[in-house]
Amino acid sequence: MSEESYSLHLEDGKQVKLPVYPGTLGPKVVDIRKLYSQAGVFTFDPGFLATASCESKITFIDGEKGVLLYRGYPIEQLAEHSSHLEVCYLLMYGELPTAEQFAGFRESITRHTMIHEGLKNFYNGFRRDAHPMAVMVGVVGALSAFYHDSLDIHNPEHREISAHRLIAKMPTIAAWSYKFFHGQPFLYPSNKLGYAENFLRMTFGVPAEEYEVNPVVAKALDQIFILHADHEQNASTSTVRLAGSSGANPFACISAGIGTLWGPAHGGANEAVLKMLDQIGGIENVDTVIDRAEDADDPFRLMGFGHRVYKNFDPRAVIIRDACHKVLDSLGIDDPQLELAMRLEEKALKEDYFIERKLYPNVDFYSGIILKAIGIPTNMFTVMFALGRTVGWISHWMEMIKEKDSVIGRPRQLYTGPTERDYQPITSRR
Ligand code: CMC
């Protein structure tokens, strides 16, 4: 029970007391669930700018201070010392695993990496030039047609098997979307390899020869997966929760999340960054492009800049900026696009427009450059984001299902359409 309350004084002299709940970190929340029954009004908050849609113990972000914690652990420490699979365990189960727990988890994920042979037919049904995110939405949704044995969302074992299946199969599904696009044979996963290594082999390997994994590339990819693993109630995670609140199966929910992630204001931003750098062409055009970004009459925005939550800096961008330089150095790549990106960053950070609006480079600004350097095609960038984010989606889905008072999500609205009117036959309409 809440000891604190928030009083609302209405025009008719009535007073409504609303309970206030504290979290362990971050702002308190006012519980407005009884507001309508007591005061007859809804709250209006399009885009959820000031609304906590749920209670969660998974991830904390302090956008003003640039803090990101997974289950309390700073992202900087996890990115430096942990691995993506260990972070998956942490996000799903709440604690870092012991050696024994981790061995069991890794074994389970490794043993679930193959996908049903029947799913191959799905790939052949797509146009060869289909966007890989379109393929992901379709194939991940279709998993529910192949794994009925784990679809009882009220059974904790079923939920866990589905979660492991999703984390394990995502690299295979993603790599096969690349293979299909390139007209190359699908490669099956290898149990000898780690998570990122397996993805790299299934993507870039061919059956005709051995594929040697570059450890620098595998490490950078693993780090990208860690940085993207969760980000509390972002648009795609909220979509997964909303879809899950109806009782939909986890494969359908994650497929809905993938669809949401596709948008350029969300996961599509890293792809948009590379397209933007291509369009800018060279460093001689940096001034013009900054002018365009600052022009209120021009819809152009600098892709990879700004964030709904981080209004200081994106801590993931700091880590990935460093990783970006390491990868380019170790691969010996001297990329003019990186120089262009650095010039854009340098120039934008000095501009009053960007300073006043607290617009800083976000994680996508740099992840696109790393992905390009390791050979991932631009249209696969958002797929890489989806791969990393799968564990976040499934962890939130599991947390939501376990809630005692979980109800179907159903926002209300401020209706501004026509008031009631009578139907007119077509002959008398003007
Ligand atoms: N370039 C130029 N101006 C910008 C930009 C930008 N990238 N982002 C915001 N602004 C301006 C915007 O025009 C507005 O100006 P004014 O106050 O004069 O009207 C002001 O900054 C506030 O913008 P907003 O749209 O109200 O801010 P928001 O918090 O709602 O938007 C955002 C966040 C990420 C949608 C937006 O910054 C954006 O479109 N960025 C580019 C796309 C991008 O990089 N998205 C990836 C987000 S990070 C990945 C993830 O976590 O999913």
Side-chain angles (χ1 to χ4, degrees):
M1 273 307 269
S2 164
E3 284 169 19
E4 243 185 278
S5 64
Y6 183 83
S7 294
L8 210 63
H9 299 273
L10 305 179
E11 274 175 2
D12 61 5
K14 259 209 280 175
Q15 191 190 353
V16 176
K17 274 195 171 182
L18 300 166
V20 173
Y21 308 128
T24 47
L25 290 169
K28 295 171 184 173
V29 298
V30 180
D31 181 347
I32 55 161
R33 280 176 288 186
K34 298 216 169 103
L35 182 65
Y36 178 62
S37 63
Q38 291 182 15
V41 290
F42 293 139
T43 54
F44 184 60
D45 186 18
F48 299 105
L49 296 176
T51 297
S53 61
C54 63
E55 184 186 330
S56 182
K57 294 181 170 54
I58 302 175
T59 290
F60 174 75
I61 300 173
D62 184 334
E64 295 299 325
K65 295 194 185 127
V67 170
L68 170 60
L69 309 175
Y70 290 167
R71 301 281 188 182
Y73 295 101
I75 190 68
E76 293 83 356
Q77 293 181 22
L78 294 169
E80 192 181 344
H81 304 296
S82 189
S83 66
H84 181 59
L85 266 196
E86 192 180 57
V87 167
C88 286
Y89 187 99
L90 173 69
L91 288 169
M92 271 183 67
Y93 298 105
E95 295 296 337
L96 284 168
T98 62
E100 196 185 335
Q101 286 168 334
F102 187 57
F105 181 66
R106 193 174 44 202
E107 172 75 3
S108 172
I109 298 299
T110 306
R111 300 245 160 233
H112 279 109
T113 48
M114 291 206 308
I115 56 177
H116 194 287
E117 280 293 296
L119 267 168
K120 271 189 183 171
N121 300 328
F122 267 76
Y123 287 86
N124 293 323
F126 288 107
R127 274 174 58 135
R128 184 66 68 188
D129 59 355
H131 194 288
M133 281 299 274
V135 175
M136 294 298 286
V137 171
V139 176
V140 172
L143 289 175
S144 44
F146 289 85
Y147 299 100
H148 318 116
D149 59 333
S150 62
L151 287 189
D152 179 1
I153 62 163
H154 304 295
N155 180 328
E157 264 177 54
H158 281 208
R159 295 200 295 265
E160 190 173 34
I161 294 169
S162 290
H164 286 206
R165 280 182 169 150
L166 273 158
I167 294 169
K169 293 180 197 312
M170 208 57 125
T172 315
I173 296 171
W176 286 14
S177 73
Y178 174 94
K179 285 298 187 205
F180 178 71
F181 187 78
H182 288 86
Q184 291 180 358
F186 297 149
L187 282 194
Y188 291 104
S190 159
N191 287 358
K192 281 190 275 179
L193 298 176
Y195 196 78
E197 292 170 330
N198 224 340
F199 169 78
L200 285 167
R201 183 185 150 274
M202 286 189 286
T203 304
F204 298 122
V206 286
E209 58 189 25
E210 281 291 308
Y211 178 77
E212 254 186 62
V213 178
N214 178 332
V216 178
V217 170
K219 168 82 187 153
L221 201 54
D222 201 66
Q223 229 172 18
I224 288 181
F225 293 153
I226 294 175
L227 297 182
H228 287 89
D230 193 39
H231 217 223
E232 51 118 309
Q233 312 310 323
N234 55 83
S236 57
T237 303
S238 298
T239 301
V240 170
R241 278 186 176 260
L242 195 57
S245 76
S246 74
N249 74 66
F251 303 114
C253 297
I254 303 300
S255 171
I258 295 172
T260 306
L261 187 75
W262 196 355
H266 192 5
N270 52 11
E271 181 175 345
V273 169
L274 262 281
K275 281 191 185 146
M276 176 189 74
L277 292 176
D278 260 348
Q279 280 161 5
I280 298 173
I283 49 174
E284 65 282 3
N285 299 323
V286 164
D287 287 351
T288 319
V289 99
I290 296 273
D291 287 348
R292 281 194 64 195
E294 295 179 0
D295 181 353
D297 297 325
D298 190 330
F300 174 79
R301 283 188 169 197
L302 268 195
M303 286 295 125
F305 273 75
H307 199 276
R308 171 59 60 81
V309 180
Y310 295 119
K311 299 300 180 192
N312 188 336
F313 67 94
D314 180 343
R316 303 167 302 170
V318 177
I319 301 164
I320 209 165
R321 184 179 197 268
D322 189 43
C324 181
H325 285 284
K326 277 189 190 142
V327 168
L328 294 177
D329 283 352
S330 99
L331 295 180
I333 293 173
D334 185 14
D335 190 337
Q337 273 193 334
L338 179 68
E339 201 194 331
L340 173 57
M342 297 298 122
R343 288 292 269 275
L344 261 185
E345 179 205 33
E346 195 186 308
K347 171 94 178 140
L349 289 178
K350 286 188 193 139
E351 294 282 306
D352 286 345
Y353 175 94
F354 286 83
I355 296 167
E356 280 159 17
R357 289 167 181 77
K358 298 186 174 176
L359 297 170
Y360 296 85
N362 57 49
V363 66
D364 294 309
F365 189 69
Y366 301 104
S367 68
I369 294 163
I370 299 187
L371 294 175
K372 180 179 178 239
I374 65 183
I376 306 284
T378 314
N379 67 0
M380 282 279 290
F381 285 5
T382 317
V383 171
M384 306 308 290
F385 192 155
L387 239 166
R389 184 56 58 86
T390 299
V391 64
W393 290 327
I394 202 71
S395 301
H396 280 274
W397 177 81
M398 288 176 97
E399 184 179 64
M400 184 207 63
I401 300 280
K402 276 193 252 166
E403 272 167 20
K404 279 197 199 81
D405 52 357
S406 152
V407 288
I408 186 167
R410 173 57 168 93
R412 306 305 294 249
Q413 64 172 4
L414 171 66
Y415 176 71
T416 53
T419 52
E420 187 171 330
R421 50 188 172 161
D422 289 325
Y423 178 83
Q424 299 293 320
I426 197 162
T427 47
S428 59
R429 288 179 218 154
R430 308 226 169 268

